[in-house]
Amino acid sequence: MKLLFLGLGMQEILVIAILVLLLFGGKKIPELMKGLGKGVKNFKDGMNGLDDEKENKIEK
């Protein structure tokens, strides 16, 4: 069964997860995920800001 994300299967995702766990250790992973979540949120906020600017320019 292939997942939709980049055509990766369950085995590939499991190997990647094990490598991340070995490289960063169990204590660093929550910090990494928190940072990743903040980055995605900032990106979404930035994209929403661009949409707002477009609407303001169209109205003017």
Side-chain angles (χ1 to χ4, degrees):
M1 179 178 153
K2 291 282 183 183
L3 296 177
L4 295 177
F5 184 70
L6 300 176
L8 295 177
M10 190 55 78
Q11 292 176 339
E12 289 90 355
I13 292 174
L14 184 61
V15 168
I16 292 169
I18 290 172
L19 286 174
V20 168
L21 184 61
L22 289 174
L23 289 174
F24 296 107
K27 293 182 181 180
K28 288 283 185 181
I29 292 176
E31 293 175 19
L32 290 171
M33 293 299 112
K34 186 177 179 181
L36 182 63
K38 285 183 180 180
V40 170
K41 183 181 182 302
N42 287 337
F43 179 76
K44 285 183 180 180
D45 290 344
M47 293 302 292
N48 288 337
L50 289 176
D51 291 339
D52 293 341
E53 286 181 23
K54 282 183 186 178
E55 289 177 12
N56 288 339
K57 286 182 181 180
I58 291 172
E59 289 175 1
K60 290 180 181 180

